[in-house]
Amino acid sequence: SLLGADPHRALPGPWVWQLLLVVPLLLLLAATLSAWLVMRANQGAALEQLRSQQAEETELLAKLIGSKLEQSQKVLSTVAEAAAPWALDSQPTLEWLLDQGLSATRYFDSLVFARESQVFRLNFRTGADASTQADPAERDLLRRVIVDGKPQVSDPFKSTLGGPSIALGMPLRNKDGSVQGAMAGVLRLQSQSLLPLSLAVPTPAQEHSQLVVLSAGGLVISHPDPTRSLGLAQDEATLALAMRLWAERQAGSAAAGAQAWWRAPHLISVAEIPSARWLVVRVVERSAMPWWQSWERGAWWALAAACLLALAAAFWLW
């Protein structure tokens, strides 16, 4: 009968107690794993948004530098159009014309002219002797301009003007339109705000990030460390990686525009300046993204908690 039943049988057995403990642990485990998955998904979405934002910012900077180069080329084109008849006729008359009549010549540090086998330089803002010989890079640029008959931009070189410089080349045409010579406007890299001030002056914000301008061949044009100017990108691991990623992208069928890659612990973005075929490279370290670190720590703590709960549940089941 019910009255004669053993009263201890109404108490829960050991399996019931284990289930009462294990079920909440399993629920906590599922909740923790869900939280970890959500945090990882949010991290992925945030990283994708950061990649897109950094690519846009890098492309905007590339367009800014490109517009400066185009502005310089327009100024040089104006000088070339006015100087062509005298440059092809008389050097003394040309010197007088440029020194007295064309204020646009003061935009450049010097002008170099080539006609037939003669090459001569006119200095304006350096006070150097006008008879200074043209640099090999300037001569090579003038030769390419005469052969191609179109404007050219040289790779950076260490000129006699002091410091890294570039040369913008423009053909000199006769009245019938044929190319009879060439001229080059030489600018130091920091002249006329050719490169933004943020590239020229290191700041505390650049401690964990780099903003670098490279030539297509991997020559360093601008670097937060001035001693790296005119060095090679291959001498720096992150820059070599950026060059390789960009080359792989160019070899594929990717659309034009800037591109960003996450290669832990760096976020690397690259954009091209079409007028000069230079590359703007931005490298941001993970340590410069504190919100990312906090999210990552939270995700790993959630995963650790899930593992502990799983071990506890397995122990109680055993």
Side-chain angles (χ1 to χ4, degrees):
S1 66
L2 292 175
L3 294 176
D6 187 357
H8 295 288
R9 286 184 172 276
L11 297 175
W15 279 102
V16 176
W17 282 114
Q18 289 179 359
L19 286 175
L20 289 176
L21 290 171
V22 168
V23 169
L25 285 174
L26 291 176
L27 291 176
L28 286 173
L29 174 62
T32 307
L33 282 175
S34 299
W36 182 78
L37 291 173
V38 169
M39 292 185 71
R40 296 298 291 181
N42 287 339
Q43 274 188 330
L47 180 59
E48 188 63 31
Q49 181 179 0
L50 185 62
R51 284 179 53 199
S52 176
Q53 177 183 345
Q54 182 163 317
E56 291 177 359
E57 292 174 354
T58 307
E59 186 168 15
L60 182 63
L61 182 59
K63 289 180 178 178
L64 174 62
I65 299 175
S67 67
K68 289 288 185 180
L69 287 172
E70 291 175 2
Q71 176 186 347
S72 301
Q73 286 179 319
K74 289 179 181 178
V75 174
L76 185 63
S77 176
T78 300
V79 177
E81 185 177 354
W86 289 271
L88 301 174
D89 180 31
S90 169
Q91 179 177 343
T93 305
L94 172 66
E95 292 180 12
W96 177 87
L97 171 72
L98 296 179
D99 188 51
Q100 304 294 329
L102 285 177
S103 58
T105 56
R106 300 301 186 273
Y107 184 91
F108 300 95
D109 294 306
S110 69
L111 295 175
V112 185
F113 293 84
R115 57 184 183 192
E116 298 178 352
S117 60
Q118 183 183 14
V119 178
F120 61 93
R121 175 196 298 277
L122 298 177
N123 292 304
F124 297 105
R125 291 196 278 132
T126 62
D129 185 5
S131 63
T132 303
Q133 295 294 319
D135 290 292
E138 297 168 349
R139 290 178 176 272
D140 178 66
L141 176 71
L142 292 169
R143 179 188 58 78
R144 288 190 285 116
V145 169
I146 293 174
V147 172
D148 296 339
K150 59 183 180 180
Q152 303 272 353
V153 180
S154 74
D155 281 342
F157 58 95
K158 188 171 182 59
S159 70
T160 55
L161 303 175
S165 300
I166 62 167
L168 309 176
M170 195 69 60
L172 295 174
R173 300 184 181 276
N174 211 338
K175 293 181 180 179
D176 60 2
S178 60
V179 177
Q180 298 297 317
M183 68 178 294
V186 182
L187 283 172
R188 284 168 293 184
L189 287 177
Q190 304 305 331
S191 295
Q192 304 295 335
S193 300
L194 186 61
L195 295 179
L197 187 62
S198 59
L199 291 175
V201 181
T203 64
Q206 294 174 341
E207 184 178 354
H208 300 291
S209 65
Q210 282 186 337
L211 200 55
V212 183
V213 182
L214 305 172
S215 71
L219 191 68
V220 177
I221 299 172
S222 177
H223 195 285
D225 181 4
T227 61
R228 292 281 291 120
S229 181
L230 298 184
L232 296 176
Q234 285 73 14
D235 296 336
E236 197 168 332
T238 52
L239 296 183
L241 175 59
M243 293 287 292
R244 181 174 61 80
L245 291 172
W246 183 256
E248 292 174 355
R249 176 186 182 275
Q250 294 296 90
S253 56
Q259 181 71 36
W261 300 267
W262 171 252
R263 295 294 184 270
H266 299 104
L267 181 61
I268 301 172
S269 57
V270 183
E272 185 179 38
I273 306 172
S275 57
R277 297 187 65 244
W278 294 352
L279 299 178
V280 178
V281 179
R282 187 179 182 191
V283 179
V284 178
E285 297 181 9
R286 180 163 46 192
S287 55
M289 300 180 284
W291 58 269
W292 174 267
Q293 294 179 357
S294 62
W295 276 21
E296 195 168 50
R297 283 195 299 267
W300 284 114
W301 275 113
L303 184 60
C307 292
L308 289 175
L309 289 172
L311 289 174
F315 172 78
W316 280 107
L317 283 174
W318 179 78

